[in-house]
Amino acid sequence: MQTRFALVEALLEVQTPDAVQAALDHLMKMFRIRRNDNMGIQSLIPAVMLRLGKDQECYDFVKWHHTCDPDGTYDWSDPDLPYLDVKDADVIEPLLKFRLLLDLQYLEDKPGTVPMKTLSSVTLTRLDIILLCQHYTPRIRELKRQLLELYNCVNESNRFFWPMLADTSNHFGNGLIVQYASAAWVETPGAIDFIRALIKVNGQVEL
C-alpha cells in the first residue's frame, strides 16, 4: 500500500488530467481494499475528484464517509457492508458552493444561454432546476450567505487554514490537508481571490 501511495503522489506531481485520473483510480481501489484507512486516503480522494471536475461525486463521497457510521458500529474491515451508497446529495462543501456561485453568476450575466462546457458538473446534475429558475439573484445571495457562514465556521475551528490555503507560494509547506486541497482551489478560477478577499475583512461583509 505504501508503494502504491508513493505512485499516487508521483502521478499527482505530473499535473495532467490523465495523471490525476490515474491517481484517483489507484486511490479508489486502495480505499475499497482498506476502508479502515490509516494513510489519509479519505482526505485525498475528495481533493483529487474536485481537480477532475467530479464535483457531485466528491460531495457524495464526503457525505457517505461522514454519515455511514453514526453509532460507531460500522465494521470498516467488512467488505460486504454498504459502500459509497450516497448519490446526488445536496451540496454544502465550500468549494462546490463556490463553483455553483460562479455558474449562477455566469447564467445571470448571459440570460438565455446554457454553455454546457463552462458549467461545473455539480450544476449540470441540477440543470432542470437551473433552467426553471427565472431570477438567479436570490439564489446567488443565498449562496454567498452560506459561503460566508462556512468560511467563518472553518475559521473558528482553525484560524490558520484559510491563510495557508491563500498562500499559493507555499502549499507544500503548509500541511497535508492544505496540500491536498490546494490544487482544486487554485484550479477553480476566482476561488483563491474570493478567500483572500474574505481574509482581508475577516469574513465580515454585507451581501
Side-chain angles (χ1 to χ4, degrees):
M1 291 290 282
Q2 291 182 340
T3 301
R4 197 170 190 177
F5 191 79
L7 173 60
V8 168
E9 292 182 313
L11 285 168
L12 292 177
E13 290 181 4
V14 177
Q15 302 289 337
T16 66
D18 288 343
V20 175
Q21 180 62 60
L24 178 61
D25 292 342
H26 282 293
L27 288 168
M28 294 302 292
K29 290 175 183 177
M30 292 165 68
F31 189 70
R32 176 177 283 276
I33 293 170
R34 185 182 292 180
R35 295 186 203 178
N36 54 337
D37 175 27
N38 62 353
M39 300 177 66
I41 294 172
Q42 81 278 4
S43 298
L44 182 53
I45 287 174
V48 177
M49 285 179 170
L50 287 177
R51 294 187 63 185
L52 292 167
K54 299 178 182 291
D55 299 352
Q56 186 64 56
E57 294 95 324
C58 166
Y59 186 68
D60 290 343
F61 179 89
V62 171
K63 185 162 187 177
W64 172 81
H65 191 270
H66 285 278
T67 60
C68 67
D69 189 20
D71 54 7
T73 61
Y74 187 92
D75 184 356
W76 294 90
S77 63
D78 185 350
D80 295 326
L81 290 179
Y83 176 70
L84 297 183
D85 54 351
V86 173
K87 303 296 181 184
D88 297 325
D90 289 334
V91 172
I92 62 171
E93 198 275 336
L95 181 55
L96 299 188
K97 278 194 174 292
F98 182 77
R99 290 183 176 180
L100 278 172
L101 176 61
L102 287 179
D103 289 345
L104 292 181
Q105 288 176 329
Y106 183 93
L107 291 171
E108 184 179 50
D109 293 339
K110 299 181 182 298
T113 63
V114 185
M116 301 294 186
K117 291 184 179 180
T118 65
L119 297 180
S120 65
S121 63
V122 72
T123 299
L124 291 174
T125 59
R126 292 167 170 75
L127 196 57
D128 56 334
I129 299 175
I130 297 296
L131 291 176
L132 291 174
C133 183
Q134 299 297 315
H135 302 287
Y136 296 109
T137 301
R139 289 173 179 250
I140 290 172
R141 186 180 297 113
E142 176 61 16
L143 269 175
K144 286 182 176 179
R145 185 196 67 77
Q146 293 174 7
L147 278 166
L148 284 173
E149 183 177 336
L150 286 166
Y151 171 91
N152 286 319
C153 284
V154 172
N155 199 46
E156 289 175 8
S157 175
N158 183 351
R159 62 188 178 88
F160 299 107
F161 179 81
W162 295 121
M164 287 193 297
L165 184 66
D167 181 11
T168 56
S169 66
N170 192 36
H171 279 156
F172 284 98
N174 278 335
L176 286 177
I177 298 301
V178 173
Q179 181 179 326
Y180 290 163
S182 62
W185 281 85
V186 170
E187 292 167 6
T188 300
I192 294 295
D193 289 338
F194 179 80
I195 295 303
R196 287 172 176 165
L198 289 179
I199 291 172
K200 286 183 178 179
V201 296
N202 197 29
Q204 303 299 317
V205 296
E206 292 186 7
L207 302 179

